[in-house]
Amino acid sequence: MQPRMHESWIAVLGDELEQPYMTELREFLVAEVAAGRRFYPPADRVFNALALTPFDDVRVVILGQDPYHGAGQAMGLCFSVPAGVRPPPSLQNIHSELETDLGLPRPTTGDLTPWAERGVLLLNAVLTVCPGKPASHASRGWERFTDRVIAELSARREGIVFLLWGRYAQQKGAVVDASRHHVLTASHPSPYSAASGFFGCRHFSRANELLAADGRDAVDWALS
């Protein structure tokens, strides 16, 4: 499986892609397919976040954990589902906060591709999953790879706004240099925790305020 990502990321991560653990990870996924076992998202969308948001264009980072494990849901962007697929509960809560925070019409789609194309890196910590088995591909190497993604952004860029929702994202984002970047934390948008700090966090407007204070363009958070 050849990584389908923007050339800017290949320039930054090329040596990581050649590490033995990444070779083993690719071999594992190829063997899964050969054995008749599927994984999500489809192979051509595994690196979708790094395909749609070039390295130098990243303005905001949202961290997720692993892809949706239901058929037709995962598309390589954390929290996002393809157009026409019913938004899962966490995404519905993100829509609610977006509406409350910015006064935008409630989105009719769960497809967050427009955000990715506007500089919002929608990165899961683990990039693949077995159908119906959450976290089934955890600890196979993806976490090391996505740690490198975050570390490169932290070291080579400045002024990125990191939105860390929930304990897992906050632990993973601990490597971010807060003297060079902006880090906003809240509870996870899951129905189990959204009322404990995600609702009312106003991260969308706060991110734009921080970008504007740095003289950078705000993100257009509107979705159709």
Side-chain angles (χ1 to χ4, degrees):
M1 182 181 68
Q2 295 300 314
R4 298 182 60 178
M5 63 179 72
H6 192 271
E7 59 186 10
S8 61
W9 284 106
I10 294 177
V12 170
L13 302 170
D15 62 325
E16 197 73 23
L17 293 167
E18 299 304 318
Q19 292 294 315
Y21 83 92
M22 286 297 290
T23 299
E24 293 173 4
L25 186 48
R26 285 192 291 269
E27 290 174 348
F28 162 71
L29 294 175
V30 169
E32 288 290 280
V33 173
R37 292 186 290 268
R38 294 175 298 163
F39 61 84
Y40 299 142
D44 63 348
R45 289 195 164 193
V46 169
F47 295 99
N48 206 22
L50 304 182
L52 294 176
T53 313
F55 181 82
D56 292 327
D57 291 353
V58 176
R59 288 184 281 167
V60 176
V61 176
I62 298 177
L63 293 181
Q65 190 161 351
D66 69 338
Y68 294 124
H69 54 85
Q73 292 183 311
M75 56 182 296
L77 303 174
C78 72
F79 295 108
S80 182
V81 293
V85 175
R86 179 178 172 81
S90 291
L91 182 52
Q92 292 182 39
N93 287 338
I94 291 171
H95 284 175
S96 293
E97 179 61 22
L98 185 69
E99 182 181 27
T100 301
D101 183 11
L102 298 177
L104 294 171
R106 188 173 182 85
T108 58
T109 177
D111 187 352
L112 304 182
T113 297
W115 289 1
E117 295 174 338
R118 298 168 192 161
V120 181
L121 183 66
L122 299 167
L123 183 69
N124 275 317
V126 176
L127 300 189
T128 57
V129 69
C130 287
K133 298 180 179 179
S136 49
H137 288 185
S139 302
R140 286 192 169 273
W142 283 129
E143 294 93 340
R144 175 176 168 181
F145 176 76
T146 51
D147 280 348
R148 174 71 184 275
V149 170
I150 297 167
E152 291 292 345
L153 286 169
S154 179
R156 298 193 190 205
R157 297 284 314 283
E158 291 186 6
I160 294 173
V161 183
F162 288 82
L163 306 184
L164 308 181
W165 299 336
R167 183 179 302 174
Y168 184 92
Q170 290 158 22
Q171 290 174 341
K172 190 169 183 69
V175 299
V176 175
D177 184 346
S179 70
R180 295 168 58 90
H181 301 281
H182 308 287
V183 179
L184 300 180
T185 62
S187 63
H188 194 276
S190 160
Y192 300 104
S193 56
S196 300
F198 178 77
F199 290 143
C201 69
R202 301 185 61 248
H203 277 187
F204 303 108
S205 61
R206 291 177 66 191
N208 280 350
E209 290 165 1
L210 291 167
L211 291 169
D214 288 343
R216 305 180 68 195
D217 291 337
V219 173
D220 177 6
W221 294 104
L223 296 166
S224 59

